Amino acid sequence: MRRIVLAFVTTVSALVMLFSYHTSTMGGGVPTTAVGTGSSTQTQSQTAPDTTTSGSAGGSGSGSGGDGTYTGDSVDTRWGPVQVQITVSGGKVTRAVAVVFPSGNRRDQEINGYALPVLAQEAVTAQSAQIDHVSGATVTSDGYVASLQSAIDQAHL
Amino acid sequence: MTTLTMPRRAWVEQVMGLPISIHLRGPSVRNVDVDECVQATYDELRAIDLLFSTYRPDSEVSRFNRGELALADAHPLLREVAVLCDLARRRTHGCFQSWLPNPDGGTWWDPSGVVKGWAAERAAHRLSRLAGHDVSVNAGGDIAVSPGRYDSTPWRIAVEDPDRRGPGGPPLAVVPLAAGGIATSGTSARGLHIHDPHTGRPADKVRAVTVVGPSLVWADVYATAAMVMGPAALDWLESLAEYDGLVVGPQGVQATSGLSATVTQG
């Protein structure tokens, strides 16, 4: 089950990355986000998020949906059903928890404490430490993406 | 214009169950043709997922595993990957295996271990058509780099310390990479998910292996195989032409000769 927990962590971290650089057109289909990254010597304006995305058909171009809590669909994975809940504040995901997950898993608090700070290393480090990427043990998200995505869709982010 | 001031952009999407990010450096990263090429690249990655996903019952891999599709009738890309899988098994003395136990107790063909690196490398090659841009594609921690014609300053790739995951943790090594691929296999993200095909037992002798070389496909395959080899991994990696590796195991961090200068922790 450990793999599930950590898979979730990495999913959340990816999501957090998406929302950290949230633009506007996540409404339909797969989220596409353009982020502007820059070296530490660039000015703030150069490192600000880009405002364009493309290829996300059905994107509304509108701003974020309402703040609140959104629960995704329950999605079956090979290890059991998974259901994810996100909390949105100011148009960003501030919390993401698995409210249903394969049994035997008691590490959700650890997930919550860990997930948000993880924040997509590659995007963060690109702006901070003169490091472009981090190579690490593969992050996967398996079935979690589907439930997360449905929560996002409900939030109209 | 130096690398430090070179405009750069990044995109990220969830494809194949992974966050796949595309990073571009170059003077024209905000041009429309760049966006179009990036979106076409993601489109192809999604198409590859439709072909290869073991989670989608309608994928060609799933149909193949149910006996509904003969390899000879499969998509050319599927046949290409099947050849790579076979080559991977042979080049690793059977330590890399794409025929894996399935949840029902049988075996199925799961080419995921090749597809991820192969797809990321394919994406990087496609994006390198954007003249004048350096490209790197990061598929869940495995990275393919294509050099541009404008600025081929190496990308700096940090190798994650399996004991200190997360942002800000000191990396084990920082590897400059101007072209090629770097891949890490390990137990820190997904537990003991790699099994020794010879014994069926989890590969638990070393905790992480990073391999760097001219192709991400092979860096990824060799990293997985080296996990299985355990104590023999370092010597085997040293024997490979053009590839270098970093092994985190009972002896701490060990690097092949080509990478030893990059290690920042002992």
Side-chain angles (χ1 to χ4, degrees), chain B residues 124-181:
Chain B
H125 285 163
R126 171 189 274 270
L127 289 158
S128 68
R129 293 178 204 160
L130 289 168
H133 291 86
D134 291 330
V135 179
S136 57
V137 176
N138 188 335
D142 297 338
I143 298 138
V145 172
S146 283
R149 278 153 282 189
Y150 190 89
D151 169 26
S152 292
T153 305
W155 301 79
R156 287 167 56 82
I157 318 289
V159 177
E160 178 185 79
D161 183 340
D163 293 327
R164 286 182 276 192
R165 308 191 74 217
L172 284 182
V174 178
V175 179
L177 190 64

Side-chain angles (χ1 to χ4, degrees), chain A residues 135-137, chain B residues 159-163 172 183-189 194 203-211 223-224 226-227 230 233 237 245-250 252-254:
Chain A
S135 180
Chain B
V159 177
E160 178 185 79
D161 183 340
D163 293 327
L172 284 182
T184 298
S185 284
T187 56
S188 62
I194 298 170
D204 57 1
K205 298 293 192 295
V206 297
R207 288 184 298 134
V209 176
T210 296
V211 176
T224 303
M227 283 294 294
L237 291 168
L246 202 66
V247 178
V248 184
V253 183
Q254 296 177 292

